[in-house]
Amino acid sequence: MSTTTSPTPDPEGRERTGPADGQAPRPTRLIQNEATTEIPVHLLFRDDPDPAPVPLRPAVVGSRRGTGEQPRFRRPVPAPARPVPEVDPGLAERPGRVLPGTVGVLAGACGTAGCVLTSWWAGVLPPLAVEALWLPAYAGAGLGLSQWAAYAGAGALGLLGFGGLARGRTGRAWVLGMFGRYRGTVRRTGLMWVNPLVLRRRVDVRLRHWRSEPMPAADANGVALRVVLLVVWRVRDTARAVLGIADHETYLRECVEAALARVPVETPGGARRSVEAAGEALTRLVARETEPVGLEVFSVLPARVEYAPEVAAAMHRRSIAALDAQHRASVLTSVVDSVEDTVTRLTMRGLVELDDYERKVLVRDLTVAFCAGRREPAS
């Protein structure tokens, strides 16, 4: 007797296929994943009151089989760049106000002449000075309030005139300040007049080079070194170099030491290209650190590189051993080539007929002879 099956909906709306005469239904609908593993439908919708926590792996997502998808890796986050120190952003070099030196000379001369005339007016000028200055004879009005006021004005004018005279030199600059405030920079040369009430600081703006004392450093393998550096630099912004930091020369020295601690230096006797690469890296670092304070660095080059005293003897022995091994290898290569060339020529020209044993003996004797000849001192 045959039974017919017909799809019947379940309470959740899904269709089931089973016998029509009331027999137990049999789940036959399946879902297949990419690995062709059969999973019953009812397992996908199982209610679990306390689901187990699923461990997450955020670093790498594996590829799916059969999809051609490649594993996805997280991109490394670049380390933030080291911030460059900043000084007062409003502090920048600007020209200071000065007058030609002629103005100061004239003011001083007028003040001196005023004092002389006041003395003649008061009658305190000696007769010889009156005759020398071609002044008319005058008995004098005495030292009164008017005379003292004239003395004060003429003296102040003379002090301001002569006291403000300054001489500008090539390669030198004056940084002017008054009551703690920056008043400008003077780069002029020759005689000039500067307000005598301002504070003047002289700065060398010429191109300078500094040869450092031996500084501690290390190579790529961490071997301790002593390096002497040659730094070529100059003051570009006098306001920041003088007022932005306490001492710009000390700051430059400390920046060079800090850069040398971060850049590996080639060991003594290394390639010249490596030394130049280390110099370029040092120059970039030092120039970047000193630019905010008004210094311009052109080059930082290792002038002398040597091992530190605590490792100098060991590294010297190591260098000698390496040279000796290199020499032995070259001698052995030369001897083997000579023996091979000799045996080949004897065999190819038919001078001797050798079996394996005789060939080995000949090679041994020739090797010993050539090595003994290499070790003999040259006369």
Side-chain angles (χ1 to χ4, degrees), residues 27-211:
T28 58
R29 190 172 182 179
L30 302 176
I31 295 179
Q32 297 180 354
N33 64 354
E34 297 163 352
T36 66
T37 301
E38 297 181 351
I39 303 175
V41 176
H42 70 280
L43 294 180
L44 297 177
F45 301 96
R46 183 179 60 182
D47 296 332
D48 193 352
D50 296 322
V54 180
L56 300 179
R57 298 179 180 179
V60 180
V61 178
S63 62
R64 298 181 179 178
R65 185 181 302 176
T67 61
E69 182 180 355
Q70 299 297 327
R72 298 188 300 270
F73 295 91
R74 285 185 174 181
R75 295 182 179 179
V77 179
R82 183 179 178 183
V84 180
E86 288 289 344
V87 297
D88 186 2
L91 186 61
E93 180 179 332
R94 62 177 183 270
R97 296 180 179 179
V98 295
L99 296 176
T102 309
V103 176
V105 174
L106 291 177
C110 291
T112 304
C115 291
V116 172
L117 292 177
T118 303
S119 300
W120 172 78
W121 179 27
V124 297
L125 192 66
L128 293 178
V130 172
E131 294 178 0
L133 296 174
W134 298 346
L135 295 174
Y138 180 65
L143 292 175
L145 184 60
S146 300
Q147 286 76 17
W148 286 114
Y151 270 126
L157 181 61
L159 290 177
L160 288 176
F162 290 125
L165 292 177
R167 184 181 60 175
R169 298 181 180 179
T170 304
R172 305 293 177 89
W174 294 97
V175 178
L176 309 179
M178 186 175 184
F179 305 117
R181 184 178 179 182
Y182 175 60
R183 292 293 183 179
T185 300
V186 179
R187 290 179 177 261
R188 294 177 56 177
T189 58
L191 188 64
M192 55 187 171
W193 183 87
V194 185
N195 187 354
L197 299 180
V198 300
L199 178 63
R200 291 175 284 185
R201 299 182 183 180
R202 178 171 291 181
V203 184
D204 192 346
V205 295
R206 295 174 296 181
L207 187 67
R208 304 165 64 182
H209 76 277
W210 167 56
R211 188 182 182 90

